[in-house]
Amino acid sequence: MAKTIQLRAWAIDDQIRIRAVIVHPMENGRRKIRKTGKKIPPHFIRELIVSRNGRVVLEAFWGKSVSRNPYLAFEVPGRKGDRIQLSWLDNRGNSDSARIVAR
Amino acid sequence: MLRRNLLKAGVATAGAMLVPRTVIGAYPVDAFLAKQPADALREVLGTADIAPGDAIEIDAPPIASDPDLVTVRVRSGYAGTESITIVASGNESPLAAHYRLYGGQHAVTTRLRLDETGELLVVVKADGQLHAASRQLRVANFCRA
């Protein structure tokens, strides 16, 4: 799994705005393949962690009601130059992580 | 050159210090399997008996034209916000997301997938106290297979 994460972080006053889009199907297990009628098995991100300068600032638990290619945005106290890291883990054990420096 | 070296050093130390910690190890399986919003809340927060709080702002479209992509922003006006829980009552698996916040944040934005019209429930935990808020989210009923 490479490059599934689009991560942005920029400083506004004393906050860092963090924005992430993760490329992931987030299958909820209810969709069917139209031709065969077979159900597509669930495949979704369960856990996500964001840290700032090595300290965890947000932990997310996601279920099947989060959209495909999930989006996450929040603001955290910090400043330009802070290192932001995001990693995720899905129900099949796939994972990915990305890190950037806040602009 | 200096900047490049600094960057390299930064990345190297970051890499050494934090092996990407992807496993929190406390995924609330039962909460996400729950079919009823109240059961989900009980599993994840310990109780479903939560008093409404007026300092929670829910920003979402009143009618979702694309129910597969519904952007929801939740803002907590409570000091010491520890967690934000988002429940889509109309969904088969109502618990959508549970966020634990450590850095002094007050708001998160997520995109949800809605099965049908229903109440969006938000529970904020701040200083150990639970506060709830809800919003009716309607799903436009065209082109739903």
Side-chain angles (χ1 to χ4, degrees):
Chain A
M1 303 291 276
K3 294 252 178 190
T4 63
I5 304 170
Q6 296 162 28
L7 184 61
R8 299 274 177 280
W10 65 98
I12 298 172
D13 301 329
D14 55 348
Q15 303 271 317
I16 302 175
R17 184 166 293 173
I18 298 172
R19 230 179 236 185
V21 174
I22 299 161
V23 178
H24 198 284
M26 295 300 276
E27 290 291 350
N28 60 9
R30 298 176 66 205
R31 285 196 329 126
K32 290 174 183 167
I33 300 166
R34 198 173 286 172
K35 270 188 184 162
T36 59
K38 245 180 81 177
K39 274 192 179 171
I40 302 167
H43 183 200
F44 59 97
I45 294 174
R46 287 171 35 138
E47 303 180 2
L48 184 143
I49 296 183
V50 182
S51 61
R52 170 184 157 256
N53 292 340
R55 287 191 58 182
V56 174
V57 292
L58 176 138
E59 286 175 342
F61 298 107
W62 281 350
K64 299 169 185 173
S65 296
V66 172
S67 78
R68 158 175 53 83
N69 297 339
Y71 172 80
L72 173 72
F74 64 97
E75 278 158 36
V76 62
R79 62 177 74 116
K80 192 172 158 176
D82 284 354
R83 296 189 312 275
I84 305 296
Q85 177 171 355
L86 181 150
S87 25
W88 60 258
L89 173 73
D90 73 14
N91 65 328
R92 294 188 187 170
N94 299 322
S95 65
D96 195 8
S97 71
R99 56 167 72 99
I100 54 159
V101 172
R103 291 195 273 121
Chain B
M1 200 56 207
L2 177 67
R3 183 172 161 268
R4 178 166 300 176
N5 285 341
L6 273 177
L7 273 176
K8 260 189 197 160
V11 168
T13 42
M17 269 163 29
L18 32 118
V19 180
R21 220 192 71 177
T22 32
V23 182
I24 303 166
Y27 186 74
V29 179
D30 292 335
F32 281 102
L33 286 176
K35 299 276 183 246
Q36 297 301 322
D39 294 339
L41 287 178
R42 233 171 264 131
E43 289 288 345
V44 73
L45 297 166
T47 176
D49 187 19
I50 300 160
D54 47 14
I56 302 169
E57 251 176 70
I58 303 173
D59 201 358
I63 298 174
S65 52
D66 182 357
D68 285 342
L69 282 176
V70 185
T71 305
V72 174
R73 178 177 149 93
V74 175
R75 221 187 124 71
S76 156
Y78 295 101
T81 297
E82 297 160 35
S83 80
I84 294 178
T85 309
I86 301 172
V87 177
S89 304
N91 279 17
E92 192 184 80
S93 57
L95 181 58
H98 178 65
Y99 294 100
R100 294 188 193 156
L101 311 172
Y102 301 101
Q105 307 97 308
H106 292 280
V108 281
T109 307
T110 315
R111 276 201 301 230
L112 304 181
R113 177 191 281 132
L114 295 178
D115 297 347
E116 51 194 83
T117 295
E119 221 173 3
L120 185 81
L121 255 166
V122 171
V123 178
V124 168
K125 188 177 183 185
D127 282 332
Q129 297 283 334
L130 294 173
H131 310 276
S134 69
R135 258 290 286 283
Q136 187 75 14
L137 285 191
R138 282 181 58 205
V139 163
N141 56 357
F142 49 84
C143 68
R144 289 300 283 164

mmCIF file with all atom_site columns, all heavy atoms in Angstrom, chain B residues 75-94:
data_model
loop_
_atom_site.group_PDB
_atom_site.id
_atom_site.type_symbol
_atom_site.label_atom_id
_atom_site.label_alt_id
_atom_site.label_comp_id
_atom_site.label_asym_id
_atom_site.label_entity_id
_atom_site.label_seq_id
_atom_site.pdbx_PDB_ins_code
_atom_site.Cartn_x
_atom_site.Cartn_y
_atom_site.Cartn_z
_atom_site.occupancy
_atom_site.B_iso_or_equiv
_atom_site.pdbx_formal_charge
_atom_site.auth_seq_id
_atom_site.auth_comp_id
_atom_site.auth_asym_id
_atom_site.auth_atom_id
_atom_site.pdbx_PDB_model_num
ATOM 1   N N   . ARG B 1 75 ? -18.422 20.445 16.303 1.00 0.00 ? 75 ARG B N   1
ATOM 2   C CA  . ARG B 1 75 ? -17.624 21.366 17.104 1.00 0.00 ? 75 ARG B CA  1
ATOM 3   C C   . ARG B 1 75 ? -18.125 21.344 18.531 1.00 0.00 ? 75 ARG B C   1
ATOM 4   O O   . ARG B 1 75 ? -19.321 21.467 18.792 1.00 0.00 ? 75 ARG B O   1
ATOM 5   C CB  . ARG B 1 75 ? -17.813 22.777 16.543 1.00 0.00 ? 75 ARG B CB  1
ATOM 6   C CG  . ARG B 1 75 ? -16.576 23.575 16.492 1.00 0.00 ? 75 ARG B CG  1
ATOM 7   C CD  . ARG B 1 75 ? -16.869 24.984 16.091 1.00 0.00 ? 75 ARG B CD  1
ATOM 8   N NE  . ARG B 1 75 ? -16.322 25.830 17.137 1.00 0.00 ? 75 ARG B NE  1
ATOM 9   C CZ  . ARG B 1 75 ? -15.015 25.993 17.316 1.00 0.00 ? 75 ARG B CZ  1
ATOM 10  N NH1 . ARG B 1 75 ? -14.161 25.408 16.551 1.00 0.00 ? 75 ARG B NH1 1
ATOM 11  N NH2 . ARG B 1 75 ? -14.581 26.744 18.301 1.00 0.00 ? 75 ARG B NH2 1
ATOM 12  N N   . SER B 1 76 ? -17.209 21.148 19.437 1.00 0.00 ? 76 SER B N   1
ATOM 13  C CA  . SER B 1 76 ? -17.575 21.117 20.841 1.00 0.00 ? 76 SER B CA  1
ATOM 14  C C   . SER B 1 76 ? -17.172 22.427 21.489 1.00 0.00 ? 76 SER B C   1
ATOM 15  O O   . SER B 1 76 ? -16.051 22.890 21.323 1.00 0.00 ? 76 SER B O   1
ATOM 16  C CB  . SER B 1 76 ? -16.868 19.956 21.536 1.00 0.00 ? 76 SER B CB  1
ATOM 17  O OG  . SER B 1 76 ? -16.756 20.210 22.912 1.00 0.00 ? 76 SER B OG  1
ATOM 18  N N   . GLY B 1 77 ? -18.096 23.010 22.214 1.00 0.00 ? 77 GLY B N   1
ATOM 19  C CA  . GLY B 1 77 ? -17.791 24.249 22.905 1.00 0.00 ? 77 GLY B CA  1
ATOM 20  C C   . GLY B 1 77 ? -17.343 24.010 24.339 1.00 0.00 ? 77 GLY B C   1
ATOM 21  O O   . GLY B 1 77 ? -17.181 24.950 25.106 1.00 0.00 ? 77 GLY B O   1
ATOM 22  N N   . TYR B 1 78 ? -17.145 22.743 24.695 1.00 0.00 ? 78 TYR B N   1
ATOM 23  C CA  . TYR B 1 78 ? -16.768 22.428 26.070 1.00 0.00 ? 78 TYR B CA  1
ATOM 24  C C   . TYR B 1 78 ? -15.254 22.421 26.229 1.00 0.00 ? 78 TYR B C   1
ATOM 25  O O   . TYR B 1 78 ? -14.528 21.879 25.403 1.00 0.00 ? 78 TYR B O   1
ATOM 26  C CB  . TYR B 1 78 ? -17.327 21.060 26.461 1.00 0.00 ? 78 TYR B CB  1
ATOM 27  C CG  . TYR B 1 78 ? -18.832 21.028 26.490 1.00 0.00 ? 78 TYR B CG  1
ATOM 28  C CD1 . TYR B 1 78 ? -19.551 20.478 25.434 1.00 0.00 ? 78 TYR B CD1 1
ATOM 29  C CD2 . TYR B 1 78 ? -19.523 21.575 27.560 1.00 0.00 ? 78 TYR B CD2 1
ATOM 30  C CE1 . TYR B 1 78 ? -20.931 20.471 25.450 1.00 0.00 ? 78 TYR B CE1 1
ATOM 31  C CE2 . TYR B 1 78 ? -20.907 21.570 27.586 1.00 0.00 ? 78 TYR B CE2 1
ATOM 32  C CZ  . TYR B 1 78 ? -21.609 21.016 26.530 1.00 0.00 ? 78 TYR B CZ  1
ATOM 33  O OH  . TYR B 1 78 ? -22.963 21.014 26.550 1.00 0.00 ? 78 TYR B OH  1
ATOM 34  N N   . ALA B 1 79 ? -14.795 23.004 27.317 1.00 0.00 ? 79 ALA B N   1
ATOM 35  C CA  . ALA B 1 79 ? -13.366 22.963 27.612 1.00 0.00 ? 79 ALA B CA  1
ATOM 36  C C   . ALA B 1 79 ? -13.004 21.544 28.036 1.00 0.00 ? 79 ALA B C   1
ATOM 37  O O   . ALA B 1 79 ? -13.807 20.857 28.659 1.00 0.00 ? 79 ALA B O   1
ATOM 38  C CB  . ALA B 1 79 ? -13.048 23.951 28.727 1.00 0.00 ? 79 ALA B CB  1
ATOM 39  N N   . GLY B 1 80 ? -11.828 21.128 27.665 1.00 0.00 ? 80 GLY B N   1
ATOM 40  C CA  . GLY B 1 80 ? -11.367 19.799 28.045 1.00 0.00 ? 80 GLY B CA  1
ATOM 41  C C   . GLY B 1 80 ? -12.090 18.683 27.318 1.00 0.00 ? 80 GLY B C   1
ATOM 42  O O   . GLY B 1 80 ? -12.402 17.654 27.906 1.00 0.00 ? 80 GLY B O   1
ATOM 43  N N   . THR B 1 81 ? -12.362 18.890 26.044 1.00 0.00 ? 81 THR B N   1
ATOM 44  C CA  . THR B 1 81 ? -13.027 17.860 25.243 1.00 0.00 ? 81 THR B CA  1
ATOM 45  C C   . THR B 1 81 ? -12.092 16.664 25.049 1.00 0.00 ? 81 THR B C   1
ATOM 46  O O   . THR B 1 81 ? -10.957 16.823 24.608 1.00 0.00 ? 81 THR B O   1
ATOM 47  C CB  . THR B 1 81 ? -13.456 18.434 23.885 1.00 0.00 ? 81 THR B CB  1
ATOM 48  O OG1 . THR B 1 81 ? -14.414 19.467 24.112 1.00 0.00 ? 81 THR B OG1 1
ATOM 49  C CG2 . THR B 1 81 ? -14.075 17.370 22.993 1.00 0.00 ? 81 THR B CG2 1
ATOM 50  N N   . GLU B 1 82 ? -12.594 15.484 25.449 1.00 0.00 ? 82 GLU B N   1
ATOM 51  C CA  . GLU B 1 82 ? -11.757 14.277 25.383 1.00 0.00 ? 82 GLU B CA  1
ATOM 52  C C   . GLU B 1 82 ? -12.115 13.386 24.209 1.00 0.00 ? 82 GLU B C   1
ATOM 53  O O   . GLU B 1 82 ? -11.260 12.714 23.643 1.00 0.00 ? 82 GLU B O   1
ATOM 54  C CB  . GLU B 1 82 ? -11.930 13.455 26.674 1.00 0.00 ? 82 GLU B CB  1
ATOM 55  C CG  . GLU B 1 82 ? -11.467 14.166 27.928 1.00 0.00 ? 82 GLU B CG  1
ATOM 56  C CD  . GLU B 1 82 ? -12.069 13.565 29.180 1.00 0.00 ? 82 GLU B CD  1
ATOM 57  O OE1 . GLU B 1 82 ? -12.269 12.330 29.211 1.00 0.00 ? 82 GLU B OE1 1
ATOM 58  O OE2 . GLU B 1 82 ? -12.341 14.310 30.136 1.00 0.00 ? 82 GLU B OE2 1
ATOM 59  N N   . SER B 1 83 ? -13.408 13.328 23.910 1.00 0.00 ? 83 SER B N   1
ATOM 60  C CA  . SER B 1 83 ? -13.778 12.468 22.793 1.00 0.00 ? 83 SER B CA  1
ATOM 61  C C   . SER B 1 83 ? -15.032 12.986 22.103 1.00 0.00 ? 83 SER B C   1
ATOM 62  O O   . SER B 1 83 ? -15.843 13.695 22.697 1.00 0.00 ? 83 SER B O   1
ATOM 63  C CB  . SER B 1 83 ? -13.981 11.024 23.260 1.00 0.00 ? 83 SER B CB  1
ATOM 64  O OG  . SER B 1 83 ? -15.244 10.864 23.844 1.00 0.00 ? 83 SER B OG  1
ATOM 65  N N   . ILE B 1 84 ? -15.160 12.636 20.827 1.00 0.00 ? 84 ILE B N   1
ATOM 66  C CA  . ILE B 1 84 ? -16.344 12.967 20.038 1.00 0.00 ? 84 ILE B CA  1
ATOM 67  C C   . ILE B 1 84 ? -16.813 11.677 19.385 1.00 0.00 ? 84 ILE B C   1
ATOM 68  O O   . ILE B 1 84 ? -16.019 10.977 18.754 1.00 0.00 ? 84 ILE B O   1
ATOM 69  C CB  . ILE B 1 84 ? -16.029 14.050 18.985 1.00 0.00 ? 84 ILE B CB  1
ATOM 70  C CG1 . ILE B 1 84 ? -15.684 15.382 19.673 1.00 0.00 ? 84 ILE B CG1 1
ATOM 71  C CG2 . ILE B 1 84 ? -17.208 14.232 18.028 1.00 0.00 ? 84 ILE B CG2 1
ATOM 72  C CD1 . ILE B 1 84 ? -15.310 16.500 18.729 1.00 0.00 ? 84 ILE B CD1 1
ATOM 73  N N   . THR B 1 85 ? -18.087 11.361 19.574 1.00 0.00 ? 85 THR B N   1
ATOM 74  C CA  . THR B 1 85 ? -18.644 10.139 19.016 1.00 0.00 ? 85 THR B CA  1
ATOM 75  C C   . THR B 1 85 ? -19.752 10.509 18.049 1.00 0.00 ? 85 THR B C   1
ATOM 76  O O   . THR B 1 85 ? -20.617 11.319 18.386 1.00 0.00 ? 85 THR B O   1
ATOM 77  C CB  . THR B 1 85 ? -19.211 9.255  20.151 1.00 0.00 ? 85 THR B CB  1
ATOM 78  O OG1 . THR B 1 85 ? -18.212 9.112  21.158 1.00 0.00 ? 85 THR B OG1 1
ATOM 79  C CG2 . THR B 1 85 ? -19.595 7.884  19.640 1.00 0.00 ? 85 THR B CG2 1
ATOM 80  N N   . ILE B 1 86 ? -19.725 9.926  16.863 1.00 0.00 ? 86 ILE B N   1
ATOM 81  C CA  . ILE B 1 86 ? -20.722 10.256 15.840 1.00 0.00 ? 86 ILE B CA  1
ATOM 82  C C   . ILE B 1 86 ? -21.517 9.012  15.491 1.00 0.00 ? 86 ILE B C   1
ATOM 83  O O   . ILE B 1 86 ? -20.947 7.978  15.153 1.00 0.00 ? 86 ILE B O   1
ATOM 84  C CB  . ILE B 1 86 ? -20.038 10.843 14.583 1.00 0.00 ? 86 ILE B CB  1
ATOM 85  C CG1 . ILE B 1 86 ? -19.251 12.098 14.958 1.00 0.00 ? 86 ILE B CG1 1
ATOM 86  C CG2 . ILE B 1 86 ? -21.073 11.163 13.508 1.00 0.00 ? 86 ILE B CG2 1
ATOM 87  C CD1 . ILE B 1 86 ? -18.396 12.642 13.848 1.00 0.00 ? 86 ILE B CD1 1
ATOM 88  N N   . VAL B 1 87 ? -22.839 9.111  15.627 1.00 0.00 ? 87 VAL B N   1
ATOM 89  C CA  . VAL B 1 87 ? -23.719 7.975  15.396 1.00 0.00 ? 87 VAL B CA  1
ATOM 90  C C   . VAL B 1 87 ? -24.763 8.355  14.346 1.00 0.00 ? 87 VAL B C   1
ATOM 91  O O   . VAL B 1 87 ? -25.460 9.353  14.497 1.00 0.00 ? 87 VAL B O   1
ATOM 92  C CB  . VAL B 1 87 ? -24.437 7.566  16.707 1.00 0.00 ? 87 VAL B CB  1
ATOM 93  C CG1 . VAL B 1 87 ? -25.416 6.433  16.457 1.00 0.00 ? 87 VAL B CG1 1
ATOM 94  C CG2 . VAL B 1 87 ? -23.427 7.167  17.772 1.00 0.00 ? 87 VAL B CG2 1
ATOM 95  N N   . ALA B 1 88 ? -24.853 7.568  13.293 1.00 0.00 ? 88 ALA B N   1
ATOM 96  C CA  . ALA B 1 88 ? -25.879 7.772  12.273 1.00 0.00 ? 88 ALA B CA  1
ATOM 97  C C   . ALA B 1 88 ? -26.997 6.777  12.543 1.00 0.00 ? 88 ALA B C   1
ATOM 98  O O   . ALA B 1 88 ? -26.893 5.607  12.183 1.00 0.00 ? 88 ALA B O   1
ATOM 99  C CB  . ALA B 1 88 ? -25.292 7.570  10.878 1.00 0.00 ? 88 ALA B CB  1
ATOM 100 N N   . SER B 1 89 ? -28.058 7.263  13.191 1.00 0.00 ? 89 SER B N   1
ATOM 101 C CA  . SER B 1 89 ? -29.100 6.364  13.687 1.00 0.00 ? 89 SER B CA  1
ATOM 102 C C   . SER B 1 89 ? -29.779 5.537  12.606 1.00 0.00 ? 89 SER B C   1
ATOM 103 O O   . SER B 1 89 ? -30.246 4.435  12.861 1.00 0.00 ? 89 SER B O   1
ATOM 104 C CB  . SER B 1 89 ? -30.162 7.156  14.433 1.00 0.00 ? 89 SER B CB  1
ATOM 105 O OG  . SER B 1 89 ? -29.563 7.884  15.454 1.00 0.00 ? 89 SER B OG  1
ATOM 106 N N   . GLY B 1 90 ? -29.860 6.082  11.398 1.00 0.00 ? 90 GLY B N   1
ATOM 107 C CA  . GLY B 1 90 ? -30.577 5.379  10.345 1.00 0.00 ? 90 GLY B CA  1
ATOM 108 C C   . GLY B 1 90 ? -29.764 4.276  9.680  1.00 0.00 ? 90 GLY B C   1
ATOM 109 O O   . GLY B 1 90 ? -30.291 3.538  8.857  1.00 0.00 ? 90 GLY B O   1
ATOM 110 N N   . ASN B 1 91 ? -28.502 4.165  10.018 1.00 0.00 ? 91 ASN B N   1
ATOM 111 C CA  . ASN B 1 91 ? -27.643 3.195  9.344  1.00 0.00 ? 91 ASN B CA  1
ATOM 112 C C   . ASN B 1 91 ? -27.711 1.819  9.971  1.00 0.00 ? 91 ASN B C   1
ATOM 113 O O   . ASN B 1 91 ? -28.026 1.676  11.152 1.00 0.00 ? 91 ASN B O   1
ATOM 114 C CB  . ASN B 1 91 ? -26.188 3.672  9.367  1.00 0.00 ? 91 ASN B CB  1
ATOM 115 C CG  . ASN B 1 91 ? -25.905 4.693  8.286  1.00 0.00 ? 91 ASN B CG  1
ATOM 116 O OD1 . ASN B 1 91 ? -26.825 5.272  7.735  1.00 0.00 ? 91 ASN B OD1 1
ATOM 117 N ND2 . ASN B 1 91 ? -24.646 4.895  8.008  1.00 0.00 ? 91 ASN B ND2 1
ATOM 118 N N   . GLU B 1 92 ? -27.353 0.814  9.163  1.00 0.00 ? 92 GLU B N   1
ATOM 119 C CA  . GLU B 1 92 ? -27.349 -0.550 9.673  1.00 0.00 ? 92 GLU B CA  1
ATOM 120 C C   . GLU B 1 92 ? -26.314 -0.699 10.793 1.00 0.00 ? 92 GLU B C   1
ATOM 121 O O   . GLU B 1 92 ? -26.557 -1.371 11.791 1.00 0.00 ? 92 GLU B O   1
ATOM 122 C CB  . GLU B 1 92 ? -27.052 -1.536 8.543  1.00 0.00 ? 92 GLU B CB  1
ATOM 123 C CG  . GLU B 1 92 ? -27.331 -2.956 8.949  1.00 0.00 ? 92 GLU B CG  1
ATOM 124 C CD  . GLU B 1 92 ? -26.936 -3.915 7.841  1.00 0.00 ? 92 GLU B CD  1
ATOM 125 O OE1 . GLU B 1 92 ? -25.746 -4.218 7.718  1.00 0.00 ? 92 GLU B OE1 1
ATOM 126 O OE2 . GLU B 1 92 ? -27.825 -4.350 7.113  1.00 0.00 ? 92 GLU B OE2 1
ATOM 127 N N   . SER B 1 93 ? -25.150 -0.112 10.589 1.00 0.00 ? 93 SER B N   1
ATOM 128 C CA  . SER B 1 93 ? -24.202 -0.045 11.706 1.00 0.00 ? 93 SER B CA  1
ATOM 129 C C   . SER B 1 93 ? -24.100 1.414  12.118 1.00 0.00 ? 93 SER B C   1
ATOM 130 O O   . SER B 1 93 ? -23.384 2.206  11.526 1.00 0.00 ? 93 SER B O   1
ATOM 131 C CB  . SER B 1 93 ? -22.844 -0.621 11.315 1.00 0.00 ? 93 SER B CB  1
ATOM 132 O OG  . SER B 1 93 ? -22.320 0.050  10.209 1.00 0.00 ? 93 SER B OG  1
ATOM 133 N N   . PRO B 1 94 ? -24.904 1.774  13.144 1.00 0.00 ? 94 PRO B N   1
ATOM 134 C CA  . PRO B 1 94 ? -25.096 3.194  13.476 1.00 0.00 ? 94 PRO B CA  1
ATOM 135 C C   . PRO B 1 94 ? -23.820 3.918  13.930 1.00 0.00 ? 94 PRO B C   1
ATOM 136 O O   . PRO B 1 94 ? -23.624 5.074  13.592 1.00 0.00 ? 94 PRO B O   1
ATOM 137 C CB  . PRO B 1 94 ? -26.125 3.173  14.609 1.00 0.00 ? 94 PRO B CB  1
ATOM 138 C CG  . PRO B 1 94 ? -26.557 1.773  14.795 1.00 0.00 ? 94 PRO B CG  1
ATOM 139 C CD  . PRO B 1 94 ? -25.712 0.876  13.968 1.00 0.00 ? 94 PRO B CD  1
#
